[in-house]
Amino acid sequence: MDNHLIEYLKFLKDLGIEEFPKVSLKVSKPVEKTQESVETVFKKMALQVANCKVCPLHQKRLNSVFGEGNPYTDLMFIGEAPGGDEDKQGRPFVGRAGQLLTKIINAMGLERSDVYIANVIKCRPPFNRDPEPEEIAACWHFIEKQIEMIKPKVICTLGRISTKTILMTTEAISRLRGKFGEYKGIKVMPTYHPSYLLRNPSAKKLVWEDMKKIMAFLAEHSETLGEKVRKKMEEYNGKG
């Protein structure tokens, strides 16, 4: 069993969750490490996800949602789970919240094709409820492998579920957002989920502050995205 999965299960136990359905431990076999391209590995993984029946979420899904974007990017956005629109289309963040995320990405001087967008779990929970711990545990190695293959400079976790899962913390998102954490040496910026912003528009200012910190970091440390975000930062500074 993967070491991080073991640590995650220990983390859940620390939260007082003592019993797990067998599904939580029946994790499908990860793709073996090879010299194949990221695209080739992701195609195989997407097929695994599409055929996965490890947890009950497969029973009512229309489509699994693996992720999309540039697999060589320095910036990943990770949400918690697909919603209704994503379930219909098989793509991440395509509903109203996704449209807002696209606007945020564009405001950073980037396109969706410049970044990679995924979720912690790959199938929609019924009625958009929070993913159960055993569902996250069963699906964990997919997002773990995506991060490992992409090797981003920054991960932006969208919302409390994604943040708590990636950073393995019980801290509230309101306390974590705006401050870089770390996952296996990768900078992690927690922020509010776009769906939260649709319900609480005043929080958009806080999210933009978080995005500016990501932009500043990429401007200094990213060869692939640095020039684009620097140009956008200069544009904003000129307006100021």
Side-chain angles (χ1 to χ4, degrees), residues 41-185:
V41 174
F42 278 8
K43 284 181 181 179
K44 290 183 177 181
M45 289 177 64
L47 185 59
Q48 282 188 347
V49 170
N51 293 314
C52 181
K53 297 182 179 179
V54 173
C55 82
L57 292 182
H58 78 276
Q59 296 172 357
K60 295 186 177 181
R61 73 181 175 212
L62 296 177
N63 290 288
S64 58
V65 183
F66 181 70
E68 69 177 27
N70 182 354
Y72 300 98
T73 187
D74 282 337
L75 176 59
M76 280 187 77
F77 288 90
I78 301 179
E80 59 186 64
D85 292 299
E86 292 74 21
D87 185 43
K88 291 176 183 176
Q89 298 187 38
R91 298 177 56 214
F93 284 91
V94 292
R96 290 182 62 220
Q99 292 168 16
L100 180 53
L101 177 60
T102 300
K103 290 180 180 179
I104 292 171
I105 293 170
N106 293 159
M108 298 172 74
L110 304 172
E111 303 292 333
R112 281 180 65 118
S113 58
D114 291 318
V115 304
Y116 197 89
I117 304 172
N119 286 298
V120 171
I121 67 171
K122 308 305 184 185
C123 297
R124 181 194 183 194
F127 308 106
N128 292 340
R129 63 160 171 76
D130 289 347
E132 298 290 349
E134 62 268 23
E135 293 164 354
I136 294 175
C139 213
W140 166 253
H141 75 277
F142 288 122
I143 189 65
E144 181 184 41
K145 186 67 174 181
Q146 285 173 298
I147 296 170
E148 177 188 333
M149 295 296 293
I150 293 171
K151 299 180 178 64
K153 295 284 176 44
V154 178
I155 296 170
C156 179
T157 52
L158 302 168
R160 59 187 176 85
I161 300 295
S162 173
T163 298
K164 290 183 177 183
T165 302
I166 299 297
L167 292 180
M168 229 179 290
T169 179
T170 59
E171 284 285 330
I173 183 67
S174 58
R175 290 191 175 190
L176 293 169
R177 60 140 296 272
K179 295 175 286 189
F180 278 113
E182 191 171 293
Y183 169 82
K184 294 186 177 181

